[in-house]
Amino acid sequence: MAVTLPRPHRFDVYVAVAGLLGGVVMWALGLYTSGSGVLSSTWGLISLAVMAALELLRRTRPQFALAAGSLALVFDMFTTGNAATILMYTDLAYAAVLYGSPAAARRIPVVTGLASAGVTLGFLIWWRSPQALFVGLGAAVVSFAPAATGALVRNHRDAAEAARLRAEQTALLAELDRTQAVTAERARVARELHDLVANHLSAIAIHSTAALSIDDPATTREALAVIRENSVDGLAEMRRLIGILRDGSGDHEPAAAPTLDGLGALVEAARAGGLDVRLDAGHGPLPAPVGLAAYRIVQESLTNALKHASAGRVTVSLARRDHRLDVTVTSPYDGHSGPRAPGAGAGLVGMRERTSLLGGTFTARPEGAVWVVHATLPLSEGDPR
């Protein structure tokens, strides 16, 4: 079975060729690191060629290259020696830490440091002379110093990569937050726009239908008056919404937002639209978000009653109990009559969203011959529902 060697990096090829050519030139000029050796200088070309070949693997097989290079360096010590062989070995030690596995990057500096200390101690015992320190220093320069340098460079590289990843994650989280904020703001504007327009346009549609179907001047005049009133009110509220959007603060509800003090006018408008409405409000002072949500729920419930309810009384009840506000709107329901005006079908969705944003509960369902809308709104975060 053939073994496929990894393709060497271009820089590694340059290092191998430069090291081999430099070593050959030094050998030709007679520049040796040792004056004598067990083997002749020609044998040093073998260790030089092996070391140059291992340079091709410095990035793809760094640990194997270092292990094989250590054997080649030991063999070179029995020859007259070549400086290019030693320099290439230091590069293999550096590359083994920089490109090797994390475990090897931690282990190699420790092993080379212990080996340098062992060589120093061994020669001190053998020679019994301070000159042995130079041998240990040479071993440290050849093995431990490049390994330590590789560890330092790798740590800086890993730190830079970690910082880059953190920056990318931060940018991603910021983009997600921005997207969520835009989506939430669009949903808020959609709810406000629906609640502002639906009530008035439903009344306009119902009364215009009555004016077209009944040939009576008095009825037509009354219908046109209601249409005009709802048109003017709708335009005023549209202008208020546009002002909110242009202001762009978005951090709090504007002072012009409707409150529960306007429930009386809201009920009177529903009565003008033909509903028999009874209001029972005993809530007292409320937080602004709760008051706005309750107002919108009542407004949308009256709009739905205007479009869907059968003949009979509509009851609006607001009661404050402990730490919550209960909003209940009941209207006659027979389950058969169709809507008297078209709608987008977003009313119940909007009421449920408003209640959910405050941490409350919302239900809308028939109970016998009555359609009941009930919302429980906590007066502050963490209050019981």
Side-chain angles (χ1 to χ4, degrees):
M1 182 177 178
V3 178
T4 304
L5 293 177
R7 183 182 181 88
H9 192 274
R10 180 179 297 180
F11 178 78
D12 299 344
V13 175
Y14 293 157
V15 171
V17 172
L20 180 62
L21 293 179
V24 170
V25 171
M26 291 181 186
W27 174 79
L29 295 177
L31 301 177
Y32 308 125
T33 58
S34 176
S36 61
V38 177
L39 302 175
S40 64
S41 61
T42 305
W43 289 96
L45 294 177
I46 297 177
S47 56
L48 175 68
V50 171
M51 202 72 73
L54 292 174
E55 285 283 15
L56 299 176
L57 304 177
R58 63 187 296 275
R59 200 182 304 256
T60 55
R61 297 284 179 84
Q63 294 168 242
F64 170 77
L66 178 62
S70 299
L71 297 177
L73 183 65
V74 171
F75 179 79
D76 189 66
M77 292 179 181
F78 291 95
T79 69
T80 54
N82 194 308
T85 301
I86 298 175
L87 289 176
M88 285 191 288
Y89 178 78
T90 61
D91 180 67
L92 292 179
Y94 168 82
V97 176
L98 183 61
Y99 301 116
S101 64
R106 293 189 299 267
R107 186 171 59 248
I108 292 174
V110 176
V111 172
T112 55
L114 293 176
S116 299
V119 169
T120 303
L121 183 61
F123 274 91
L124 278 174
I125 295 174
W126 183 21
W127 288 358
R128 299 181 182 274
S129 171
Q131 297 295 327
L133 294 176
F134 289 103
V135 178
L137 179 61
V141 170
V142 172
S143 59
F144 176 71
T149 303
L152 183 64
V153 173
R154 180 170 182 143
N155 288 338
H156 281 291
R157 185 191 66 181
D158 292 345
E161 181 65 16
R164 184 187 66 81
L165 291 177
R166 285 195 298 269
E168 291 180 355
Q169 292 174 353
T170 301
L172 179 59
L173 291 175
E175 179 63 21
L176 290 176
D177 290 342
R178 187 193 70 81
T179 302
Q180 292 175 355
V182 170
T183 302
E185 184 64 15
R186 290 178 63 182
R188 187 177 79 91
V189 172
R191 285 193 301 269
E192 291 294 328
L193 184 61
H194 177 273
D195 293 342
L196 288 175
V197 175
N199 181 270
H200 298 293
L201 290 186
S202 297
I204 290 173
I206 292 173
H207 284 82
S208 61
T209 301
L212 291 173
S213 59
I214 300 176
D215 188 12
D216 178 59
T219 302
T220 302
R221 185 176 182 84
E222 181 181 353
L224 291 176
V226 174
I227 291 173
R228 182 186 183 281
E229 180 181 356
N230 280 275
S231 301
V232 172
D233 291 344
L235 287 174
E237 295 192 7
M238 284 293 295
R239 282 195 296 270
R240 182 166 56 241
L241 178 60
I242 293 173
I244 296 172
L245 296 177
R246 285 179 175 172
D247 177 56
S249 58
D251 296 332
H252 53 79
E253 295 294 340
T259 64
L260 291 182
D261 294 335
L263 278 182
L266 189 63
V267 169
E268 288 301 324
R271 289 170 180 165
L275 291 179
D276 179 12
V277 185
R278 183 175 69 85
L279 175 63
D280 181 13
H283 48 77
L286 296 172
V290 176
L292 176 61
Y295 180 92
R296 292 303 189 197
I297 290 172
V298 172
Q299 182 185 47
E300 182 58 32
S301 298
L302 292 177
T303 300
N304 288 342
L306 184 65
K307 293 191 291 185
H308 300 279
S310 306
R313 169 160 292 187
V314 177
T315 302
V316 178
S317 173
L318 284 83
R320 181 169 181 167
R321 295 183 176 87
D322 295 330
H323 299 284
R324 70 179 189 270
L325 176 69
D326 289 337
V327 181
T328 305
V329 181
T330 62
S331 57
Y333 175 77
D334 58 15
H336 301 293
S337 59
R340 293 189 290 272
L348 294 179
V349 175
M351 288 189 285
R352 185 172 286 106
E353 287 178 349
R354 286 185 181 277
T355 305
S356 177
L357 287 174
L358 294 177
T361 59
F362 175 83
T363 58
R365 59 179 178 234
E367 295 182 3
V370 178
W371 181 271
V372 180
V373 174
H374 180 74
T376 300
L377 305 176
L379 300 184
S380 62
E381 293 186 2
D383 288 336
R385 301 174 191 174

